[in-house]
Amino acid sequence: MVTLLSLLSSSMSEALIQRIKELEGELEKLKSQLKERSEAGADMEVKSCPSPNENSGCTTNNNTTTSTTTTSSSSSKKGKKAGKERPFDFSAHPRRHVALRLAYLGWAYQGFAVQENTDNTVEARLFEALLKTRLIQDRQSSNYHRCGRTDKGVSAFSQVITIDLRSTQFCEGLGVTLPENVDVFAKTKAAASELPYVKMLNRVLPQDIRILDWAPAAEGFSARFDCQSRTYRYYFPRGSLDVALMADAAKRYEGTHDFRNLCKMDVGNGVLQFMRTILSASVKPVQPEHISSTDQYDLFIFEIKGLAFLYHQVRCMMAVLLLIGQKLETPDIINQLLDVQNNPRKPQYSMAVDYPLVLYECNFEGLDWKLETEEVNHVLSALQQHWTQSAVKSHVLHGMIQGLEAVGGVSSNHCWLIEGSKQRNYRPLLERPCCESLESRIDHFVKRGRLEREEGENGGEMVHRGKRSKHSHNSSSLPVVLAASTKSTDKGAD
């Protein structure tokens, strides 16, 4: 038995050794073939190099062949990267003057307009998107105008801007400017579809800022100066307010008045005229069927339509209406505040809070808005998602309130829509300390160099922005000379 196992073991060892020798022979052949191919490749690389000085990576040994291959691959990658970084040639594309209509929820932003002390503004996000999509080269050359600048926390459903955007329209069209030295063939070729401005911008904008539609506009058309009217809405719950009294008082705002007592006087920025025209002002329920209801949770709207508005004007007007709704003031207080001859200085009072205010509509004539159904549906879907979350949260809170009222809790009659803390003893507006007069504010900014005085016609005074005004750099594009008498109210429009 032992002898048989020894014989088998000896036989297997010899076979295994023989197989190993065969494999070693094959390996040597493969090495030889690989070496021949490698040397042939190196010879070809040497021939392809004009001289050693032109490419130090071209040598004949195997190690430097690897180096050459790596260098070539690296150069290829650098070439691609350099291509990406090549500046976009805006001069090769037409430009088109357009109007863009946008909606945004302003609660998370420090206002619409760009500011020096923060980049958390709607306008900053908008220009980031315009630059990222290469629709503009820079803001300075974009011919940009905005219809209005909403405050911190204020939203908009129909803000409008005008701007020059990159276009595909070589065959010209409304608002199109062709690049210089464009060839005749480019002018005569078939019209291409315009760039999908709404889709391009909405893909890179935050979810709470949406472009709704766009319209081609004539070269001189301005969102600021060609707006026919602006409509604001301020939402508020009935609570314990007398909404019928507020509706009657709101009508007193209509007409052309001096609103210096119902705004923040922005004298330092050259705003010296406070005459504004209000076309309509009303207080109405959000749901018309609630007109006869007495539920304190019914929502109402203060809607006001005017040609133009002053800084914080709508929130000051709403604050006075809320005082009237609480019966702390009578509707006649509006007439008294509008009488700047007898009340030339604004009483000190707090504004209404910011978040219920919406720039609801900006009205223009002659614009043909291009609606993209797919984008409208995207925006609608996003708004429905926001609404669902907010509606559910509000009803969760309402349920908790009802639960506490059911066990004997008593709801407060406090109005939560006025800034600041509630006064323990209410002091009527006309008995309060007053802010500085317009004349005093002008004197203050003249001394600081923000405004300058000069003698006008007929011995009157002209006041205009000074050299040190932070907005003086706009003088080349905006009318900055503003006539203002420091003796009486100027009746001119802004």
Side-chain angles (χ1 to χ4, degrees):
M1 185 72 177
V2 174
T3 305
L4 180 61
L5 288 172
S6 300
L7 288 172
L8 286 172
S9 176
S10 175
S11 176
M12 288 178 66
S13 298
E14 290 176 2
L16 183 60
I17 291 169
Q18 183 62 31
R19 181 58 182 156
I20 289 171
K21 287 180 179 179
E22 290 174 358
L23 290 173
E24 286 177 343
E26 290 179 10
L27 179 61
E28 288 300 322
K29 287 181 182 179
L30 289 173
K31 283 183 177 181
S32 177
Q33 291 174 4
L34 182 61
K35 185 176 181 181
E36 288 174 3
R37 290 179 183 177
S38 178
E39 287 175 353
D43 289 341
M44 290 179 67
E45 287 182 9
V46 170
K47 290 176 183 178
S48 67
C49 297
S51 70
N53 295 331
E54 290 185 18
N55 190 344
S56 60
C58 294
T59 57
T60 58
N61 62 56
N62 293 339
N63 292 336
T64 52
T65 299
T66 306
S67 174
T68 303
T69 305
T70 305
T71 305
S72 175
S73 174
S74 176
S75 299
S76 175
K77 290 180 180 178
K78 286 180 180 178
K80 290 179 181 179
K81 187 175 181 182
K84 289 181 180 178
E85 292 178 351
R86 185 173 58 192
F88 189 83
D89 186 7
F90 283 91
S91 66
H93 298 268
R95 288 158 60 100
R96 189 167 201 171
H97 193 56
V98 304
L100 295 177
R101 183 156 50 189
L102 61 150
Y104 52 86
L105 302 175
W107 306 318
Y109 296 97
Q110 298 296 311
F112 179 78
V114 167
Q115 300 173 35
E116 294 178 359
N117 59 344
T118 178
D119 67 347
N120 184 31
T121 65
V122 175
E123 202 172 68
R125 299 290 85 76
L126 179 60
F127 271 94
E128 285 173 4
L130 289 165
L131 291 167
K132 188 172 185 178
T133 53
R134 291 178 173 172
L135 289 176
I136 64 168
Q137 185 170 6
D138 51 52
R139 176 170 177 154
Q140 291 72 23
S141 63
S142 67
N143 191 20
Y144 171 73
H145 281 179
R146 55 177 172 252
C147 183
R149 50 182 300 163
T150 52
D151 300 332
K152 172 183 175 293
V154 177
S155 302
F157 177 61
S158 186
Q159 173 73 278
V160 175
I161 67 168
T162 46
I163 193 168
D164 289 351
L165 301 182
R166 175 167 58 91
S167 173
T168 60
Q169 303 303 293
F170 280 93
C171 58
E172 301 183 331
L174 181 60
V176 174
T177 302
L178 294 178
E180 294 180 6
N181 304 321
V182 63
D183 57 39
V184 176
F185 175 75
K187 287 185 178 180
T188 57
K189 68 181 181 181
S193 298
E194 187 54 279
L195 291 171
Y197 296 131
V198 176
K199 185 175 183 178
M200 290 172 71
L201 290 169
N202 281 345
R203 292 301 176 271
V204 295
L205 281 167
Q207 284 294 314
D208 50 7
I209 304 174
R210 300 283 90 183
I211 307 296
L212 300 180
D213 43 23
W214 74 278
E219 274 301 305
F221 189 87
S222 166
R224 178 183 179 189
F225 298 111
D226 289 306
C227 183
Q228 303 299 308
S229 65
R230 298 163 173 85
T231 301
Y232 282 89
R233 285 183 170 183
Y234 194 101
Y235 293 81
F236 64 98
R238 182 199 302 273
S240 59
L241 299 170
D242 187 333
V243 290
L245 195 62
M246 293 173 70
D248 173 66
K251 291 296 178 185
R252 301 176 186 233
Y253 287 134
E254 295 178 351
T256 301
H257 308 284
D258 187 316
F259 284 92
R260 71 179 66 182
N261 291 331
L262 290 154
C263 72
K264 179 178 178 180
M265 289 196 299
D266 200 16
V267 175
N269 289 327
V271 180
L272 308 174
Q273 307 283 350
F274 298 92
M275 299 296 293
R276 295 294 185 273
T277 298
I278 302 301
L279 302 175
S280 64
S282 63
V283 171
K284 56 188 179 183
V286 171
Q287 302 292 339
E289 61 269 22
H290 292 166
I291 190 67
S292 58
S293 169
T294 58
D295 188 346
Q296 65 174 326
Y297 295 101
D298 290 342
L299 285 177
F300 283 75
I301 302 171
F302 169 47
E303 184 172 280
I304 185 163
K305 181 178 181 180
L307 302 183
F309 291 87
L310 296 158
Y311 188 30
H312 288 164
Q313 182 180 345
V314 178
R315 290 169 63 189
C316 286
M317 296 167 81
M318 186 64 201
V320 173
L321 285 181
L322 290 171
L323 294 176
I324 293 169
Q326 296 173 82
K327 297 187 177 179
L328 297 173
E329 298 284 349
T330 65
D332 190 53
I333 187 62
I334 292 177
N335 302 79
Q336 293 174 297
L337 292 174
L338 294 174
D339 182 4
V340 296
Q341 298 298 326
N342 292 318
N343 297 293
R345 297 169 62 193
K346 175 187 174 184
Q348 294 179 3
Y349 61 90
S350 299
M351 296 188 297
V353 295
D354 50 26
Y355 63 87
L357 183 58
V358 181
L359 174 56
Y360 191 74
E361 185 178 12
C362 298
N363 184 41
F364 294 87
E365 291 180 356
L367 290 181
D368 180 19
W369 293 103
K370 309 295 182 184
L371 202 66
E372 298 178 21
T373 306
E374 182 183 357
E375 287 307 307
V376 170
N377 291 338
H378 278 307
V379 175
L380 186 57
S381 177
L383 290 175
Q384 286 173 329
Q385 182 181 5
H386 279 295
W387 178 86
T388 300
Q389 294 172 353
S390 300
V392 168
K393 288 177 181 178
S394 70
H395 280 80
V396 167
L397 294 170
H398 192 191
M400 293 179 177
I401 291 169
Q402 289 177 320
L404 292 173
E405 289 176 339
V407 296
V410 179
S411 292
S412 167
N413 290 329
H414 178 64
C415 179
W416 302 103
L417 295 177
I418 297 212
E419 290 185 341
S421 56
K422 182 180 179 181
Q423 295 177 336
R424 183 170 297 178
N425 297 310
Y426 182 75
R427 189 174 183 182
L429 288 181
L430 296 183
E431 296 178 12
R432 298 185 186 185
C434 293
C435 302
E436 286 184 281
S437 66
L438 174 59
E439 293 76 12
S440 176
R441 297 296 293 164
I442 290 173
D443 288 340
H444 171 76
F445 286 108
V446 166
K447 290 177 182 177
R448 293 184 59 185
R450 293 274 292 277
L451 297 176
E452 291 181 357
R453 274 198 180 97
E454 60 183 44
E455 188 173 342
E457 296 178 4
N458 302 320
E461 272 190 337
M462 297 288 287
V463 179
H464 59 87
R465 292 180 190 166
K467 294 179 181 178
R468 284 186 282 175
S469 170
K470 65 180 179 181
H471 291 290
S472 60
H473 63 275
N474 290 333
S475 59
S476 60
S477 59
L478 300 177
V480 298
V481 178
L482 302 168
S485 169
T486 58
K487 304 295 183 182
S488 60
T489 304
D490 190 329
K491 299 295 181 183
D494 72 339

